[in-house]
Amino acid sequence: MTATGAVEGARLGTTLMHEHVFINLLREYRGTGLIQDLPLMRSELERYREAGGVTLVDVTSAELTWGASPDPGGVYGARPPASAEHTAEHTRAPDNVAALHELSVATGVRIVLGTGHYRDPYLGDDFDRKSVDAISELLVRDLVEGFAGTRIRAGLIGEVGSDQWFISAREERNLRASARASRRTNAVISTHAARWPVGRRQLDLLLEEGVSPVRVIIGHCDTVNIPEYHLDLARSGCYVQFDTIRPGAEFALNTRVSHIVSLIRAGFIDSILLSHDVCGRDHLHAYGGGGFDYISRHFAKRLAQAGVDAGELDHILIENPRRALSGEAG
């Protein structure tokens, strides 16, 4: 399911599984955490399309979509940060959904929209006032009927996750709600599990709720430099996502190549997903970053130099996303 409607899995092509087109992260990144410029993002997506990119998964959670417009009262109407009033019925603002649809039509890039809630500290006190099942119902609505105020449906759940090395009480309720929505719709769940190996705890909780491991993507695995952690997740049957692949320090890039090659050679190529997690202006070409095409234009060459052949790379960038999004073996 994409912003412009359902498509056959075979037509998804090269797919980035964890990106943000519009986002408001000013709470944590005052200098770079706001991306809200429609013409700018059209240019960035066009570069991705020119590099052979076909599909992009936008996993911008409810708490990150509000206040991301420079056009108060206009067609994209600016809004304040998420509040109980906003998130009671919306996981994405209708104008946010409309802008993504417009960009998809203009650039030819298929955009898959995520639904869900983010993590602490973004989950405010109002989050405690709704039951797990009530939270889940809104996710199911987004996936089955469409985002409130639109007829555009979500294509997955995420990103949802954990801020630190443990799962907080609010995060647990969020993950359980996501699990129940996934069970009802077969939607894959994409998590935020940065810096610590908390993805194992996330997976265990989701499995406890009855979710199949093949419907789980543990995110930000490349920010956890523990190969045994990646291998454990792959053996458990979930997707292991290396999704902060950006230009920068040689050590960081070489480490990511090593992790990916190690999983391939261990027989887990089916478990690997790649992306950039563009979530700040400094990640965009316009501000000196690698944009959405860094993997295609540059990182792929590093993988080739490390012995990953073209067929293996296509398997990771095309076949694995197709299976994850279409629900195969789910």
Side-chain angles (χ1 to χ4, degrees):
M1 183 57 61
T2 76
T4 53
V7 299
E8 295 180 1
R11 297 177 61 196
L12 290 176
T14 297
T15 302
L16 298 174
M17 288 294 294
H18 189 112
E19 304 293 345
H20 304 275
V21 179
F22 301 113
I23 191 168
N24 186 343
L25 272 172
L26 289 176
R27 178 170 186 162
E28 292 181 279
Y29 303 102
R30 294 297 301 170
T32 62
L34 181 63
I35 302 177
Q36 90 293 32
D37 188 318
L38 191 75
L40 168 63
M41 297 316 293
R42 175 172 177 168
S43 173
E44 297 286 331
L45 288 174
E46 285 173 344
R47 293 187 67 140
Y48 172 54
R49 191 75 176 97
E50 290 166 2
V54 180
T55 304
L56 177 148
V57 179
D58 185 296
V59 289
T60 310
S61 308
E63 293 74 18
L64 303 180
T65 64
W66 296 91
S69 170
D71 182 28
V75 65
Y76 302 114
R79 286 177 168 80
S83 67
E85 178 184 356
H86 294 142
T87 58
E89 293 300 330
H90 295 86
T91 46
R92 279 183 184 262
D95 44 31
N96 174 271
V97 176
L100 291 169
H101 177 273
E102 179 179 337
L103 279 176
S104 182
V105 171
T107 65
V109 175
R110 303 188 193 281
I111 302 177
V112 179
L113 281 66
T115 180
H117 298 278
Y118 192 31
R119 57 166 172 82
D120 271 333
Y122 290 84
L123 305 175
D125 292 341
D126 57 280
F127 197 79
D128 292 331
R129 301 189 186 110
K130 297 181 73 71
S131 70
V132 170
D133 286 337
I135 297 167
S136 179
E137 281 295 331
L138 288 182
L139 307 185
V140 171
R141 180 207 63 192
D142 292 346
L143 291 157
V144 174
E145 301 175 11
F147 293 98
T150 83
R151 300 180 66 180
I152 296 173
R153 293 161 55 188
L156 79 162
I157 300 167
E159 67 184 292
V160 300
S162 310
D163 182 43
Q164 301 191 54
W165 61 92
F166 56 88
I167 298 173
S168 73
R170 288 173 182 163
E171 290 167 348
E172 177 181 347
R173 296 174 66 251
N174 191 25
L175 286 162
R176 291 192 185 281
S178 300
R180 294 176 194 182
S182 174
R183 287 191 63 192
R184 288 176 58 184
T185 64
N186 200 36
V188 70
I189 301 170
S190 183
T191 81
H192 172 103
R195 299 178 298 280
W196 292 283
V198 69
R200 179 71 247 187
R201 295 180 177 86
Q202 293 176 350
L203 178 61
D204 289 343
L205 189 155
L206 296 171
L207 295 180
E208 179 185 314
E209 284 282 338
V211 177
S212 169
V214 298
R215 307 312 299 137
V216 179
I217 301 168
I218 300 300
H220 307 322
C221 288
D222 47 336
T223 70
V224 185
N225 191 14
I226 305 176
E228 295 80 8
Y229 167 62
H230 306 150
L231 191 58
D232 174 53
L233 291 174
R235 285 172 174 158
S236 297
C238 69
Y239 288 97
V240 182
Q241 189 163 262
F242 303 106
D243 54 25
T244 62
I245 299 173
R246 308 169 190 143
E250 284 295 306
F251 174 80
L253 289 166
N254 291 338
T255 298
R256 283 160 172 74
V257 169
S258 177
H259 290 327
I260 294 164
V261 171
S262 293
L263 273 190
I264 293 173
R265 301 307 169 226
F268 293 105
I269 191 171
D270 288 346
S271 301
I272 302 169
L273 296 171
L274 302 182
S275 213
H276 308 95
D277 190 20
V278 167
C279 58
R281 287 201 307 273
D282 54 333
H283 299 155
L284 303 173
H285 278 291
Y287 291 87
F292 296 115
D293 56 318
Y294 180 74
I295 290 173
S296 296
R297 294 189 190 276
H298 303 288
F299 192 73
K301 296 176 183 178
R302 288 178 175 267
L303 290 174
Q305 292 169 356
V308 178
D309 64 39
E312 290 172 324
L313 185 59
D314 282 348
H315 191 92
I316 294 170
L317 291 175
I318 300 174
E319 179 64 14
N320 290 351
R322 182 190 65 78
R323 288 189 296 106
L325 292 171
S326 64
E328 278 193 20

